Amino acid sequence: MEKFIRHTGVGVPMRHSNVDTDQIIPAVYLKRVSRTGFEDALFAAWRNDESFILNQEPYRSGSVLVAGPDFGTGSSREHAVWALKDYGFKAVLSARFADIFRGNSGKQGLVTGQLAQDDIEQIWKVLENEPGTEVTVDLEQRQVRCADIVAPMEVDEYTRWRLMEGLDDIALTLRHTDDIDDFETSRPSHKPRTLV
Amino acid sequence: MGKTLAEKVWDAHVVRRAEGEPDLLYIDLHLVHEVTSPQAFEGLRLAGRPVRRPDLTLATEDHNTPTLDIDKPIADLTSRTQIETLRRNCAEFGIRLHPLGDVEQGIVHVVGPQLGLTQPGLTVVCGDSHTSTHGAFGALAFGIGTSEVEHVLATQTLPLRPFKTMAINVEGQLRPGTSAKDIILAVIAKIGTGGGQGYVLEYRGEAIRSLSMEARMTICNMSIEAGARAGMIAPDETTFEYIKGRPHAPEGKEWDAALEDWKSLRTDDDAEFDAEVTIDAGALEPFVTWGTNPGQGLPLSAAVPDPDSFADESARAAARRALQYMDLEPGTPLRDIPVDTVFIGSCTNGRIEDLRAAAAVVKGRRKADGVRVLVVPGSHRVREQAEREGLDAIFTEFGAEWRHAGCSMCLGMNPDQLAPGERSASTSNRNFEGRQGKGGRTHLVSPLVAAATGVRGTLSSPADLEPATPTR
């Protein structure tokens, strides 16, 4: 996985709350068996509307999504993260994220920075008044900067470390195979097995 | 200080704990389906990794599967490819699969409990957010993404931060015409779609204790709609009775040992929850959603709300947007909203008791003109059971379509979809924009309300119906 220290790119103000993963990527796109090429599927239904933010310059080429609270609710589909990444987003900022979406993002190197809603509102105003303004997401400093706004950003410490080191979760766990072997010897024998 | 049920199950599965790191948690049961697994298997192949415990893994086909003509090749090529990919992956990695047409095929969250694989005290995961269903047995069960699916396949563990715990006390007793679905819709409306974020919910109280296992599954199923990754109910005699004798239930001495373990799975009297919420089941009416997230719900006797009546700006904006999408006017009585389609099914309400409840309402009646009624059993076994009881005949005489098992119109990955602008009363779990088909509008309801709505053609409860006239 690519290391993430900080990123600066055009911010996209998305004033929706409760952006569920069905909106981020509708189910019809989940039939694919590949892990790449989902950029066309991102917000597919909303992109049919000309006034949708990603249909407008310069937001079209944005890489930092600044969204309303409860982003990524609903379905566990990691395709939502792949679609955001494939489109070119490096980070999503929101006052609240759904747990599964946030976990999926961390596995894929998409930063989910939690900001105070007041800071989100300030950043929205800047991005709407000065379209094309860049936002810096600084994982090292746990900070978001936009124009003269400097906002503290909450990220899970372990995920932050892993993203900054660019480490793959499975490889990290496989270092502890002995612990897993030990645990398995003490599992009760009445636990079910699928193969009989 | 004592422990909560969730903490007990968590602590019994910690493989490794280290300062500053998430706990490494052992996974007892990994359920797999065709949509969220192909990229995980591909990851294993690329890294040259095997599946660590195929004997703790089970796959079924559900999201994409057609509910008609299941003996013919799947017409949609991309769906067919995804199904065939699962079949190849299961064969290659030695995983048991129940494919379309198999007697054990069905929605993954209906199949696990039905086989007796879902048991108290287990950790259960699946690449599907409604894995919370299995918490009804006192298991810690939650949905995961595809990277985590790959992680569990490779290691049978997951690195996880401990959850906080929230008690949902459901006091009193449900009144006739209300059901488990109304409890959970009311809970979500109360705490909101983000209210459970970071928590495991434990449903407790008199009303919960009185519910059947299937009703408990309905409640735990929708925990994710309140933002909680998992919901749990302490196992009791109802639970043990349900499991006993199922194909994968322990037997003999193993049963006795299991039972002893299971009986310890309850929140200690001196344990403390991080948060507590109480609702009175006795005060509930049938609940329906009016908006585009599951928290936007009201009693059926209410009217479409005025967006300006909400306290904060974000809720006002969400309500305005939802009413525009749903094409609803503030002040319209919910009972006056006409629907085009009624969908009875899904992992929320596709089990035999749900079908019995709906059939009891529609028996001897004809559906309203112009309304399409789709009845989709949650599994092949449920379908067989319903046919043994003659429910299929009741539904078809009513004018409903009796289908094969799968996720179907809950998310419209197969041909069962709403057309743009169409409106449904649906026993499923999500009323998101376009969830049941692009441009489709969804009202979430219980099986009782779905059935009554099929009769009248507008959102209704059984109490709104004239007595049925005997047809023969």
Side-chain angles (χ1 to χ4, degrees):
Chain A
M1 198 161 64
E2 214 176 304
K3 290 184 182 181
F4 190 115
I5 308 294
R6 70 184 62 77
H7 168 80
T8 300
V10 169
V12 179
M14 183 177 266
R15 282 187 180 264
H16 298 87
S17 59
N18 269 295
V19 177
D20 60 74
T21 54
D22 272 78
Q23 306 317 313
I24 300 173
I25 181 167
V28 64
Y29 297 98
L30 310 189
K31 297 179 185 182
R32 299 174 182 173
V33 295
S34 61
R35 202 162 197 151
T36 53
F38 286 93
E39 58 275 8
D40 60 324
L42 181 70
F43 296 117
W46 290 354
R47 270 158 84 183
N48 289 329
D49 173 2
E50 274 179 29
S51 67
F52 181 59
I53 190 96
L54 287 183
N55 287 334
Q56 296 169 42
E57 297 295 354
Y59 302 121
R60 194 191 297 269
S61 54
S63 62
V64 178
L65 187 63
V66 188
D70 296 315
F71 189 87
T73 54
S75 159
S76 64
R77 57 189 70 168
E78 195 163 305
H79 309 67
V81 177
W82 305 336
L84 284 161
K85 279 193 66 188
D86 289 350
Y87 184 89
F89 282 106
K90 306 290 185 199
V92 183
L93 308 177
S94 171
R96 257 196 331 258
F97 290 95
D99 294 338
I100 302 180
F101 175 82
R102 205 166 195 203
N104 291 343
S105 298
K107 309 289 180 193
Q108 290 294 317
L110 178 75
V111 170
T112 50
Q114 195 167 318
L115 268 63
Q117 182 61 24
D118 285 350
D119 289 329
I120 295 275
E121 308 259 358
Q122 295 298 319
I123 297 172
W124 278 342
K125 279 181 198 154
V126 171
L127 298 180
E128 284 165 353
N129 294 337
E130 302 281 343
T133 303
E134 290 190 326
V135 177
T136 295
V137 178
D138 192 330
L139 203 52
E140 191 171 35
Q141 301 290 322
R142 298 183 194 84
Q143 198 175 71
V144 169
R145 298 184 290 274
C146 174
D148 55 359
I149 301 165
V150 178
M153 172 174 78
E154 200 185 307
V155 282
D156 176 69
E157 262 316 294
Y158 181 75
T159 306
R160 172 175 169 268
W161 166 75
R162 220 168 31 72
L163 294 182
M164 288 179 63
E165 297 289 328
L167 291 171
D168 160 14
D169 237 6
I170 296 178
L172 283 172
T173 297
L174 287 174
R175 291 181 190 170
H176 307 300
T177 301
D178 289 352
D179 293 327
I180 304 172
D181 292 344
D182 284 351
F183 184 90
E184 284 181 334
T185 60
S186 63
R187 288 182 76 234
S189 58
H190 61 72
K191 295 233 180 186
R193 288 165 192 249
T194 57
L195 302 175
V196 278
Chain B
M1 195 178 71
K3 287 184 192 176
T4 63
L5 167 61
E7 288 160 351
K8 286 182 183 180
V9 179
W10 182 285
D11 289 349
H13 289 83
V14 175
V15 170
R16 183 175 180 277
R17 180 169 280 170
E19 185 65 30
E21 292 182 33
D23 285 352
L24 191 63
L25 218 63
Y26 198 81
I27 303 302
D28 290 316
L29 179 64
H30 185 191
L31 303 170
V32 173
H33 64 84
E34 76 274 17
V35 178
T36 55
S37 67
Q39 295 85 354
F41 284 112
E42 184 62 18
L44 291 184
R45 244 187 312 270
L46 289 172
R49 290 170 179 149
V51 172
R52 183 181 172 95
R53 294 297 299 265
D55 62 330
L56 303 183
T57 312
L58 179 78
T60 176
E61 300 169 358
D62 56 7
H63 282 63
N64 267 288
T65 50
T67 55
L68 287 172
D69 300 326
I70 63 166
D71 51 340
K72 302 200 178 78
I74 298 174
D76 181 326
L77 273 180
T78 48
S79 287
R80 197 199 300 176
T81 301
Q82 195 165 58
I83 296 277
E84 285 170 353
T85 303
L86 180 68
R87 291 176 187 174
R88 271 199 310 276
N89 285 331
C90 287
E92 180 182 339
F93 289 94
I95 292 168
R96 170 175 156 197
L97 167 69
H98 293 300
L100 189 61
D102 184 276
V103 67
E104 299 296 353
Q105 179 268 343
I107 306 175
V108 64
H109 310 308
V110 178
V111 169
Q114 187 174 274
L115 284 168
L117 281 167
T118 303
Q119 295 176 12
L122 300 186
T123 46
V124 183
V125 298
C126 173
D128 188 282
S129 60
H130 291 110
T131 309
S132 57
T133 311
H134 307 264
F137 291 79
L140 181 62
F142 49 90
I144 57 179
T146 297
S147 291
E148 290 174 311
V149 170
E150 184 180 341
H151 197 286
V152 176
L153 288 172
T155 71
Q156 204 57 34
T157 65
L158 274 180
L160 287 166
R161 292 267 179 220
F163 302 110
K164 290 178 287 181
T165 57
M166 185 187 294
I168 308 280
N169 304 307
V170 188
E171 305 299 349
Q173 290 292 347
L174 283 171
R175 293 182 297 178
T178 57
S179 68
K181 184 66 164 284
D182 303 305
I183 293 179
I184 189 62
L185 285 174
V187 167
I188 300 163
K190 183 171 176 122
I191 71 174
T193 56
Q197 271 166 28
Y199 290 94
V200 173
L201 310 183
E202 184 185 328
Y203 303 96
R204 303 153 60 83
E206 186 192 347
I208 301 294
R209 296 262 71 87
S210 312
L211 294 176
S212 70
M213 282 317 295
E214 297 199 353
R216 293 178 188 184
M217 284 189 251
T218 298
I219 291 187
C220 288
N221 171 276
M222 289 189 71
S223 302
I224 182 68
E225 265 50 77
R229 221 168 165 180
M232 299 177 87
I233 294 173
D236 58 11
E237 288 304 323
T238 304
T239 321
F240 310 146
E241 192 57 35
Y242 178 95
I243 296 169
K244 193 159 195 173
R246 291 190 180 264
H248 287 270
E251 290 175 338
K253 283 184 181 159
E254 295 285 21
W255 172 264
D256 297 338
L259 205 57
E260 199 181 317
D261 278 4
W262 297 347
K263 285 182 174 169
S264 70
L265 294 171
R266 51 182 294 279
T267 293
D268 295 327
D269 293 338
D270 58 343
E272 279 181 23
F273 290 93
D274 298 301
E276 268 193 76
V277 169
T278 298
I279 71 164
D280 178 6
L284 289 180
E285 289 178 51
F287 229 79
V288 301
T289 63
W290 51 268
T292 55
N293 74 55
Q296 292 173 322
L298 281 170
L300 179 60
S301 60
V304 175
D306 184 342
D308 291 334
S309 67
F310 291 93
D312 74 284
E313 177 47 36
S314 151
R316 282 195 291 273
R320 268 192 290 273
R321 195 183 155 80
L323 292 193
Q324 189 184 8
Y325 181 85
M326 295 295 288
D327 192 25
L328 292 173
E329 289 296 326
T332 308
L334 295 171
R335 273 200 172 82
D336 291 352
I337 297 173
V339 305
D340 306 291
T341 294
V342 171
F343 172 64
I344 299 172
S346 85
C347 59
T348 309
N349 282 128
R351 286 170 289 266
I352 189 68
E353 289 176 11
D354 300 312
L355 301 191
R356 285 179 192 144
V361 174
V362 305
K363 189 173 184 180
R365 301 179 190 271
R366 280 293 297 176
K367 70 178 177 67
D369 288 342
V371 175
R372 169 173 62 149
V373 181
L374 225 61
V375 185
V376 184
S379 71
H380 193 88
R381 291 280 190 201
V382 170
R383 182 179 150 102
E384 281 187 342
Q385 178 65 29
E387 290 180 350
R388 271 197 296 277
E389 297 178 17
L391 306 185
D392 56 324
I394 294 173
F395 286 122
T396 48
E397 281 163 22
F398 176 62
E401 299 173 43
W402 177 245
R403 298 293 188 88
H404 286 277
C407 299
S408 179
M409 197 183 268
C410 175
L411 82 170
M413 279 192 79
N414 76 351
D416 307 338
Q417 297 180 15
L418 294 181
E422 269 190 344
R423 186 184 298 280
S424 76
S426 176
T427 67
S428 57
N429 41 58
R430 287 184 177 139
N431 51 344
F432 298 152
E433 290 181 26
R435 169 79 176 181
Q436 298 190 287
K438 201 170 179 178
R441 300 172 176 133
T442 303
H443 297 275
L444 300 178
V445 300
S446 70
L448 292 171
V449 169
T453 301
V455 176
R456 289 182 78 225
T458 59
L459 294 177
S460 307
S461 79
D464 300 325
L465 304 181
E466 303 289 331
T469 43
T471 48
R472 59 185 69 148

